[in-house]
Amino acid sequence: FQRKRCFVASFLVLFLLQDIYRRQTLKNKYYVKKFFYAKISMVFLALLLYEKKGNTLFSMTYNKGERINFMGQIQVERTDIEGLCIITPTIHQDSRGYFMESYNERDFQEQGLNLRFVQDNQSMSVKGVLRGLHFQKQYPQGKLVRVLKGRVYDVAVDLRKNSKTYGKHFGITLSEENKKMFYIPEGFAHGFLVLSDTAEFAYKVTDFYHPGDEGGLAWNDPSIGIRWPELKGTYAGNAKKDGYTMEDGSPLLLSEKDELWLPLAETFSF
């Protein structure tokens, strides 16, 4: 892991200045002490100004080029697909229970996520329900999704035609235990599979629902290759649930609409 170079450099410069000043005022301990406190104040001021510019002083870089930033009450991990973010909130827990901030506009903006949400949605689904893969064509929505109760496997597919990851997908398990959130920007198809007996799913969106503007993508398109966990079956050339079940024998449950979506090669792109 690497710290920001300017952060280290600022400390070196300040300590150098302190040493020079101390040599000149060695006989006057009062001024040396005052300079020490002034140095600490300058460090905090430098941190404040640096963060105001949207930079991150506390960050870690992984081998794949992914970056995890720690600021405020959230930890943000950017995936290999541009725009997709995994957000882990800080959990304050004690014998009474826990508290967390599920959304803080300032923290998100400091991470470069300048979002405006206009609607909150919530659903409850039983085990084996697969919702997706959905998007809006003329009024695309960014989504910040999380699970309030239970466990789901959540997936986003890149439908941005000019993207270097067009047709690629990313999946993550969201649960009431890990309390992770998943941000999916405009230009993606989105869906999830319920893995627990029941699941309560909540999400914020950046545009309103527009009837008649909804599009979809076949959840089992082999050209995308989503490996839905705990699901078994064989692709029969369409998005129908026939021939699929959960590993424990529970049925796969889809809406009639979600069984009619077409594969990537025949669907809408942004």
Side-chain angles (χ1 to χ4, degrees), residues 11-40:
F11 267 107
L12 293 176
V13 171
L14 288 170
F15 276 111
L16 179 61
L17 289 174
Q18 181 194 20
D19 185 69
I20 295 172
Y21 194 85
R22 180 177 291 177
R23 289 174 183 273
Q24 296 178 357
T25 59
L26 188 59
K27 296 180 180 180
N28 193 330
K29 295 183 179 180
Y30 172 76
Y31 286 107
V32 172
K33 188 175 182 180
K34 285 192 67 176
F35 186 82
F36 174 76
Y37 289 129
K39 182 191 70 173
I40 297 298

Side-chain angles (χ1 to χ4, degrees), residues 64-67 76-86 113 153-160 162-172 182-189 224 226:
K64 293 184 178 179
E66 298 175 353
R67 181 170 296 278
V76 177
E77 176 183 354
R78 288 174 167 80
T79 72
D80 290 335
I81 299 179
E82 185 179 359
L84 296 180
C85 297
I86 302 166
L113 298 172
Y153 187 68
D154 201 83
V155 175
V157 181
D158 192 350
L159 295 182
R160 300 169 297 183
N162 295 325
S163 169
K164 63 182 180 181
T165 52
Y166 172 74
K168 303 296 184 182
H169 74 278
F170 183 86
I172 181 174
F182 187 29
Y183 177 65
I184 304 135
E186 296 85 347
F188 285 77
I224 300 171
I226 302 171

Side-chain angles (χ1 to χ4, degrees), residues 1 19 43 61 70 98 114 116 144 170 173 207 243 261 264:
F1 304 116
D19 185 69
V43 170
T61 303
F70 298 90
Y98 75 89
N114 298 303
R116 176 179 175 268
L144 179 63
F170 183 86
T173 298
D207 204 343
W261 299 127
L264 180 68

Side-chain angles (χ1 to χ4, degrees), residues 1 3 17 21 23 47-48 53 77 85 94 100 134 166 179 202 210 215 221 229-230 237-239 253 262-263 270:
F1 304 116
R3 294 185 180 278
L17 289 174
Y21 194 85
R23 289 174 183 273
L47 292 175
L48 179 62
K53 292 182 179 180
E77 176 183 354
C85 297
D94 57 27
M100 58 173 268
H134 301 151
Y166 172 74
K179 295 178 174 56
H210 291 267
D221 181 0
E230 302 179 27
N238 54 58
L253 303 172
L262 298 174
F270 291 93

Side-chain angles (χ1 to χ4, degrees), residues 66-215:
E66 298 175 353
R67 181 170 296 278
I68 295 182
N69 298 324
F70 298 90
M71 291 177 68
Q73 295 291 307
I74 57 173
Q75 166 188 321
V76 177
E77 176 183 354
R78 288 174 167 80
T79 72
D80 290 335
I81 299 179
E82 185 179 359
L84 296 180
C85 297
I86 302 166
I87 300 161
T88 304
T90 299
I91 309 299
H92 304 277
Q93 193 163 9
D94 57 27
S95 58
R96 300 168 299 169
Y98 75 89
F99 171 84
M100 58 173 268
E101 293 182 0
S102 59
Y103 176 70
N104 183 306
E105 182 181 60
R106 180 178 57 202
D107 284 354
F108 274 65
Q109 288 179 347
E110 287 177 343
Q111 295 287 357
L113 298 172
N114 298 303
L115 310 171
R116 176 179 175 268
F117 295 113
V118 299
Q119 184 176 322
D120 281 19
N121 301 321
Q122 184 170 332
S123 67
M124 190 283 290
S125 307
V126 300
K127 186 171 188 176
V129 166
L130 196 156
R131 298 182 185 267
L133 300 160
H134 301 151
F135 55 87
Q136 288 191 164
K137 294 175 284 188
Q138 303 305 318
Y139 301 92
Q141 296 173 311
K143 298 179 180 179
L144 179 63
V145 306
R146 64 190 181 104
V147 167
L148 305 177
K149 180 181 179 181
R151 182 169 58 98
V152 311
Y153 187 68
D154 201 83
V155 175
V157 181
D158 192 350
L159 295 182
R160 300 169 297 183
K161 196 67 175 180
N162 295 325
S163 169
K164 63 182 180 181
T165 52
Y166 172 74
K168 303 296 184 182
H169 74 278
F170 183 86
I172 181 174
T173 298
L174 304 176
S175 70
E176 61 180 309
E177 287 79 22
N178 65 31
K179 295 178 174 56
K180 292 181 181 294
M181 295 177 276
F182 187 29
Y183 177 65
I184 304 135
E186 296 85 347
F188 285 77
H190 167 257
F192 64 88
L193 171 67
V194 178
L195 305 175
S196 52
D197 290 339
T198 61
E200 292 183 15
F201 190 83
Y203 55 106
K204 307 173 80 68
V205 293
T206 58
D207 204 343
F208 298 102
Y209 170 67
H210 291 267
D213 189 45
E214 189 175 27

